Amino acid sequence: QQTGTGRVQNAFSVWIRPTEAANGPFALKAAIREVENWVQAGLLPDEFARMKKYLGSRIALWASDPGRRLGWATEAVLMGWPDPIAELPEQIASLELSAVNEAIQRNIDPDGIDIVVVTGDGASFRDAVIEEGATPIVYGDSAPPEGSDQSKKDAEIADIVLGISQSEIIRTEEIFR
């Protein structure tokens, strides 16, 4: 985590690992489907326990040196918040699964996601995800057998219509001037 940003709203982001350009639209559809399923079902008890353990131990890394500790303390004072380094471990420990799942459903709206894609051919990617046609995954020599559970899941994802109504292509030259 970075200090000194004065966050007034927490960010929620999903990162998709780089993939072949031909599989980009499929990967985006799969990621959005996963977010929708996660919001609907919430965290499972074992996932929740792992996240609590991970987050509880991660706080110490935020204050790994005096400069970072001072940064968090200063930000807390300036924003009028409790010091997260001092307060968060206890707050994380007191979290309950039902409250976290309710917060996920209340605050994450898969229909309101802003999507940013980095690709060499923005127009082709945009056309593939905006059109209502299927965008199947392209396997090399390791495609699942026809009719298998995996091939059925792949077909379902490929047929998802994202309903994207707005898009903008920004060329690298326009960003890094």
Side-chain angles (χ1 to χ4, degrees), residues 24 30 40 42 48 71-72 74-75 82 85 96 104 107 116 123 128 136 140 143 152 167 173-174:
Q40 183 179 17
F48 177 69
W72 282 107
T74 302
E75 184 175 309
I85 306 303
E96 295 184 15
I104 290 169
N107 292 293
V116 176
K152 290 175 186 175
S167 68
E173 296 83 12
E174 297 172 38

Side-chain angles (χ1 to χ4, degrees), residues 41 44 56 58 68-69 74 84 89 92 103 110 114 124-125 134 137 147 157-158 160 163 168-169 174:
L44 298 173
R58 182 91 179 138
R68 288 183 54 78
R69 178 74 177 98
T74 302
I92 290 168
D114 291 328
S124 293
F125 184 90
I137 188 169
I157 293 169
I160 291 173
E168 179 181 3
I169 297 174
E174 297 172 38

Side-chain angles (χ1 to χ4, degrees), residues 113-175:
I113 292 177
D114 291 328
I115 301 166
V116 176
V117 175
V118 178
T119 183
D121 187 357
S124 293
F125 184 90
R126 178 189 57 202
D127 293 346
V129 297
I130 288 179
E131 293 173 6
E132 294 188 11
T135 56
I137 188 169
V138 178
Y139 286 101
D141 297 331
S142 60
E146 190 69 32
S148 67
D149 287 344
Q150 186 62 52
S151 69
K152 290 175 186 175
K153 288 178 186 175
D154 290 349
E156 288 174 14
I157 293 169
D159 289 337
I160 291 173
V161 175
L162 295 177
I164 295 174
S165 59
Q166 296 178 337
S167 68
E168 179 181 3
I169 297 174
I170 302 172
R171 299 186 48 78
T172 308
E173 296 83 12
E174 297 172 38
I175 296 174

Side-chain angles (χ1 to χ4, degrees), residues 48-49 51-53 55-57 59 87-97 100:
F48 177 69
M51 285 296 104
K52 279 180 69 169
K53 183 178 179 180
L55 292 172
S57 63
I59 302 302
E87 301 287 330
L88 277 178
E90 184 177 314
Q91 292 173 347
I92 290 168
S94 69
L95 287 174
E96 295 184 15
L97 177 59
V100 170

Side-chain angles (χ1 to χ4, degrees), residues 27-113:
L28 176 62
K29 290 178 178 184
I32 290 175
R33 180 180 177 178
E34 287 300 312
V35 171
E36 290 171 343
N37 290 343
W38 177 66
V39 168
Q40 183 179 17
L43 291 171
L44 298 173
D46 62 320
E47 294 170 325
F48 177 69
R50 281 196 319 270
M51 285 296 104
K52 279 180 69 169
K53 183 178 179 180
Y54 170 79
L55 292 172
S57 63
R58 182 91 179 138
I59 302 302
L61 296 176
W62 291 2
S64 57
D65 62 63
R68 288 183 54 78
R69 178 74 177 98
L70 179 60
W72 282 107
T74 302
E75 184 175 309
V77 169
L78 292 174
M79 298 302 290
W81 299 333
D83 183 354
I85 306 303
E87 301 287 330
L88 277 178
E90 184 177 314
Q91 292 173 347
I92 290 168
S94 69
L95 287 174
E96 295 184 15
L97 177 59
S98 60
V100 170
N101 284 337
E102 189 275 324
I104 290 169
Q105 290 178 343
R106 185 179 66 246
N107 292 293
I108 307 298
D109 178 9
D111 294 331
I113 292 177

